[in-house]
Amino acid sequence: MTAIAVLGSTNMDLVAYVPKAPRLGETVTGSAFRTVPGGKGANQAVAAARSGGEVVMIGAVGADEFGVRLRSALTAAGVETAALRTVEGASGTAHITVDDEGGNSIIVIPGANGGVTGLEAGDAARIGAADLLLLQLELPMEAVLAGASAARAQGVRTVLTPAPARMLPHELLGLVDLLVPNEHEAAALTGFTDPLGAAEALLREVPEVVVTLGAAGVLYAARGQEPLTVPAPRVRAVDTTAAGDTFVGALAVALGEGRPMPQALRWASAAAALSVQRPGAQDSMPTRAETDAFAAAGPLPAAGPHPGATS
């Protein structure tokens, strides 16, 4: 079983469903409201656990009702929460608007996540016992750097999702083995709107890059290799919240199992395709059995050379 450590955020998602997202100064009437456990770190932890990984979550929740629910949701998914601290104050929250096309916009309030500025006793050992470390950018940069440094020192493969997008210090990029931005984050990091151009620019900093392209699939690029694309399975999206986190969690499990990258990308894309057909973040994430069944129901799109690649 793949052992995965996640150093990241836990948030309660406050989700409003609307026909169309409001413009600045506009008021719209929504169709539904839900509170569901989320946070990019917790989402990736749940996705990895449901995909068959043995997962430990490192982070913090607040001493409030949301904190209790967030911890309970992780435990119910099979995630180890001994390293998820409870601190004074509010838990993190994410205020999400989902439109009828499945698109979303998100405002994150860090809450307890903002107090995670480094590793605590036992965290380095937890990271060292893992096959992979998953990182995102909803914790302070000091904590992300500390986690990446601990992983590198112990030979643990580090996967970073650079979201929310921001300029990354070279020190951090030098510790990352696989970077997984979406196309907008890749553009923000490099200035290239073309995903292939962005990926090639990022390869100057990290050895491997996967750019997620939504309904268009994913682009994989690695130093010394031809870039390749994996088209996404065609499904009707209901809610794309946490689709990227579902992909990363499933991909981590597949890589930890030693699957070749093209196969791992197809399997993770299948998990993400299942997630967008359901509302919510963690609630939408498929089990390993569901992903396997979806993959077995018909041939998944094959990986192929990216159209912009040169032979």
Side-chain angles (χ1 to χ4, degrees):
M1 182 179 289
T2 303
I4 296 173
V6 181
L7 174 61
S9 58
T10 55
N11 294 320
M12 186 59 72
D13 290 351
L14 313 177
V15 189
Y17 294 89
V18 297
K20 184 179 180 182
R23 298 184 300 249
L24 186 65
E26 181 183 15
T27 299
V28 299
T29 299
S31 58
F33 174 76
R34 302 176 69 208
T35 59
V36 292
K40 294 196 72 64
N43 288 347
Q44 291 183 5
V46 170
R50 289 191 178 165
S51 295
E54 184 177 278
V55 185
V56 58
M57 179 74 201
I58 304 170
V61 295
D64 56 7
E65 180 185 351
F66 285 166
V68 174
R69 287 183 58 190
L70 291 167
R71 183 183 298 277
S72 177
L74 286 165
T75 301
V79 177
E80 170 58 56
T81 60
L84 183 66
R85 284 85 186 182
T86 299
V87 300
E88 291 300 319
S91 298
T93 54
H95 304 255
I96 304 173
T97 300
V98 179
D99 64 29
D100 280 352
E101 300 301 316
N104 64 70
S105 58
I106 305 173
I107 300 172
V108 174
I109 310 297
N113 300 301
V116 182
T117 57
L119 302 182
E120 297 197 11
D123 289 348
R126 292 181 177 96
I127 291 170
D131 298 304
L132 298 95
L133 171 67
L134 303 186
L135 296 169
Q136 320 78 35
L137 299 178
E138 288 183 345
L139 296 183
M141 186 59 70
E142 305 97 301
V144 179
L145 275 167
S149 296
R152 177 57 57 87
Q154 299 175 91
V156 175
R157 188 176 190 177
T158 295
V159 180
L160 172 65
T161 303
R166 69 175 87 170
M167 296 310 297
L168 301 177
H170 293 293
E171 180 185 1
L172 174 60
L173 289 169
L175 297 169
V176 171
D177 298 298
L178 173 62
L179 189 70
V180 189
N182 64 28
E183 56 190 316
H184 308 293
E185 292 152 2
L189 289 171
T190 65
F192 288 94
T193 56
D194 168 51
L196 179 59
E200 290 175 339
L202 290 168
L203 288 180
R204 299 176 196 141
E205 302 277 3
V206 298
E208 292 183 284
V209 178
V210 173
V211 182
T212 60
L213 307 171
V218 298
L219 165 67
Y220 171 70
R223 293 171 182 168
Q225 297 183 32
E226 291 286 345
L228 61 85
T229 57
V230 175
R234 292 189 177 183
V235 297
R236 183 183 182 280
V238 172
D239 183 355
T240 60
T241 304
D245 295 328
T246 302
F247 174 85
V248 171
L251 179 64
V253 171
L255 293 176
E257 293 173 350
R259 303 192 198 191
M261 183 60 81
Q263 180 186 346
L265 292 171
R266 289 194 296 273
W267 194 74
S269 295
L274 284 170
S275 77
V276 303
Q277 298 177 71
R278 308 167 179 171
Q282 294 171 18
D283 290 347
S284 73
M285 295 173 175
T287 64
R288 184 186 186 95
E290 289 174 323
T291 301
D292 285 341
F294 182 69
L300 291 178
H306 188 273
T310 58
S311 56

